[in-house]
Amino acid sequence: MNALPPGLLTLGLVAAFGLAPTDLHASEGQRHRIGINTRIAFRVEATFRNLGEYRSPMNPGPERGGGTDRFYEDGFVRVDASGNADGGTWYWGYEDSERQVVGDTVQMQVLEAPGGLTSSVHDDPHAGVELRYGYVWRSDPRALWLLEAALGWTEFDFTDRRTLTGPARRTVDTFPLDGVVPPWAAPAEPYSGSFAGPGPILGDAPIRTSETRPDGLVLEGERRLRTSLGTLRLGPAVEVPWTEQWSAQFGAGLALALADGEFTRSETLSPWAGPPVRRSGGTSDTEFLVGAYAEGLVHVTWPRGFGLFAGAQYQYLPDFRQALEGQEAVVRFSRGFFLIAGLRYGF
């Protein structure tokens, strides 16, 4: 569990235990305060990490030799019913004649990308609501001392559509046609030979080449992180009057939160040559967070206990993290602050 910031914790402990409750009579007999306020968050950031990583599920087999099953992003070369007699097989297929047929050969590829790309999103502001209750446990001519509790709810929605570039490695196996005219193939109508055959023969022993480019991969699409944050704040506060109507309040204490998030992605990885790789998916998670808060408010009070208040609040909470197939989405609550405006009633 992450430790609380020492400054906030010390302030809360001093205010809670350093002042003994000697007078339980609040001004004008009002010992209870209830209120409702908007709570608008700024500078809360979502970071998406380790983007652009791709490890092909395909197995192209050993670098040299024939008589083995080989699988690629855009085709396959396998052992047919004849056992690949004379070093050829009719059990093969591919996707794109215009791209993959090069001279008297057919090329097939496997893509790898190490990833490590990062993208951050702010998407300010994020609006929420909070209900609060305060009990005046001490009063004197200079100040009112309160114990406060507040329940809050804020929805955060971060969407990242940035196009990123990163490194990629492309491994290409080139298979000989030896004068055979290959069947036509297109992405919408790929060619696929059968195990039993017969069919056009393709040499089964490839020549392998590999190339790595630092900007060989383009990552496009959308990453979205939606997080609901429910909070409970507990702590002491002091209200200092300026005039009969105006006063300032300062408080600090413990912040407890339940974060419920959903991380989804729909993206396309496009290498500098070859077909794009499309993938999508999502995950959800819930985590309990412990932190602290400090706030400052200005009150204006009318007769019969009604009033308005506004101010700012800093709330420290640990990062909320979610992982999806090697990618990570992180909400950084610790950088955010809140603007507050609301209505209260004292009785």
Side-chain angles (χ1 to χ4, degrees):
M1 182 178 296
N2 296 51
L4 301 183
L8 291 181
L9 183 59
T10 301
L11 178 59
L13 292 175
V14 169
F17 300 108
L19 298 166
T22 59
D23 182 2
L24 298 180
H25 297 282
S27 63
E28 301 181 3
Q30 297 175 3
R31 296 172 58 182
H32 305 276
R33 307 286 177 83
I34 57 174
I36 183 170
N37 59 265
T38 60
R39 197 161 169 257
I40 303 176
F42 294 88
R43 295 187 65 228
V44 176
E45 180 182 84
T47 300
F48 300 92
R49 297 174 177 166
N50 202 28
L51 306 178
E53 180 181 15
Y54 182 74
R55 303 288 183 231
S56 176
M58 303 303 175
N59 181 7
E63 181 176 355
R64 301 178 184 276
T68 186
D69 289 336
R70 301 175 183 271
F71 301 92
Y72 303 88
E73 310 282 356
D74 49 6
F76 66 89
V77 178
R78 305 189 63 181
V79 178
D80 63 16
S82 72
N84 289 9
D86 300 323
T89 178
W90 54 65
Y91 193 15
W92 65 281
Y94 75 119
E95 294 183 351
D96 192 339
S97 295
E98 293 184 355
R99 179 177 59 80
Q100 293 179 252
V101 176
V102 180
D104 194 32
T105 66
V106 175
Q107 294 184 345
M108 302 185 192
Q109 74 169 11
V110 172
L111 173 67
E112 290 184 318
L117 306 179
T118 299
S119 183
S120 296
V121 183
H122 292 281
D123 284 351
D124 291 333
H126 303 269
V129 66
E130 190 174 57
L131 300 174
R132 59 172 66 205
Y133 168 78
Y135 175 72
V136 180
W137 60 288
R138 175 181 174 178
S139 66
D140 59 48
R142 296 173 299 174
L144 300 178
W145 305 91
L146 303 91
L147 294 175
E148 283 205 328
L151 288 173
W153 185 266
T154 308
E155 295 281 347
F156 297 90
D157 193 345
F158 302 96
T159 301
D160 177 29
R161 298 188 180 94
R162 290 179 59 194
T163 298
L164 306 173
T165 58
R169 177 181 177 86
R170 177 174 174 251
T171 299
V172 179
D173 281 355
T174 301
F175 296 89
L177 283 166
D178 295 326
V180 173
V181 177
W184 176 260
E189 298 181 22
Y191 168 72
S192 181
S194 66
F195 170 75
I201 301 295
L202 181 71
D204 68 349
I207 297 174
R208 178 167 296 178
T209 58
S210 295
E211 182 180 3
T212 300
R213 292 189 182 183
D215 58 350
L217 182 78
V218 177
L219 176 64
E220 300 173 292
E222 177 181 288
R223 293 156 292 279
R224 187 175 185 183
L225 179 59
R226 289 174 287 186
T227 303
S228 300
L229 186 70
T231 56
L232 170 62
R233 297 190 295 105
L234 301 166
V238 58
E239 184 175 342
V240 180
W242 294 341
T243 67
E244 291 184 359
Q245 287 187 300
W246 292 89
S247 62
Q249 177 177 316
F250 305 94
L254 180 67
L256 306 175
L258 188 66
D260 181 53
E262 182 182 17
F263 173 28
T264 59
R265 71 176 182 191
S266 178
E267 57 189 18
T268 301
L269 297 89
S270 302
W272 74 92
V277 177
R278 297 177 177 87
R279 60 187 183 185
S280 60
T283 185
S284 59
D285 194 15
T286 301
E287 188 174 350
F288 181 69
L289 307 174
V290 179
Y293 75 94
E295 70 174 6
L297 304 174
V298 175
H299 295 274
V300 57
T301 304
W302 294 307
R304 300 183 181 180
F306 287 98
L308 298 175
F309 61 92
Q313 181 188 104
Y314 170 70
Q315 179 176 269
Y316 168 83
L317 289 173
D319 294 344
F320 175 54
R321 303 172 182 271
Q322 291 185 265
L324 175 62
E325 296 178 355
Q327 293 184 359
E328 184 180 51
V330 182
V331 183
R332 307 189 71 177
F333 293 115
S334 60
R335 295 187 175 185
F337 71 92
F338 297 83
L339 295 182
I340 295 172
L343 173 69
R344 77 170 186 176
Y345 175 69
F347 60 96

